[in-house]
């Protein structure tokens, strides 16, 4: 199976619609990789600033990606 379905389905850079697919290992936020898939508060606390940095960086880049009208 080829990855990137979200990117291909929702992204259309030529029309100014960019898409990003972020894959995060379950052990970075879950207590265990088995049911009931409970969040681990300490792991999510450590992951949150990294995700925030990624999203803020993408937000800062967004104006550069817009095509002139």
């Amino acid at each position: 199976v080829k990855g990137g379905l979200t990117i291909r389905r929702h992204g259309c850079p030529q029309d100014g619609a960019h898409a990003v697919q972020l894959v995060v290992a379950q052990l970075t936020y879950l207590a265990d990789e088995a049911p009931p898939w409970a969040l681990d508060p300490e792991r999510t606390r450590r992951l949150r600033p990294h995700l925030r940095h990624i999203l803020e960086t993408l937000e800062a880049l967004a104006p550069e990606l817009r095509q002139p009208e």
Side-chain angles (χ1 to χ4, degrees):
V1 176
K2 199 172 184 182
L5 177 62
T6 299
I7 302 296
R8 289 190 302 281
R9 179 173 289 165
H10 300 289
C12 191
Q14 65 273 17
D15 293 334
H18 298 273
V20 174
Q21 181 172 329
L22 176 66
V23 179
V24 180
Q26 290 179 331
L27 278 179
T28 62
Y29 60 92
L30 294 181
D32 193 12
E33 290 186 273
W37 298 288
L39 287 176
D40 181 309
E42 178 58 22
R43 288 179 179 171
T44 56
R45 183 193 66 74
R46 291 191 315 253
L47 178 60
R48 196 169 286 120
H50 299 286
L51 295 176
R52 183 179 314 280
H53 175 72
I54 291 167
L55 293 172
E56 288 173 349
T57 301
L58 290 171
E59 181 181 35
L61 288 171
E64 296 176 29
L65 299 175
R66 288 195 182 100
Q67 297 196 357
E69 294 189 29

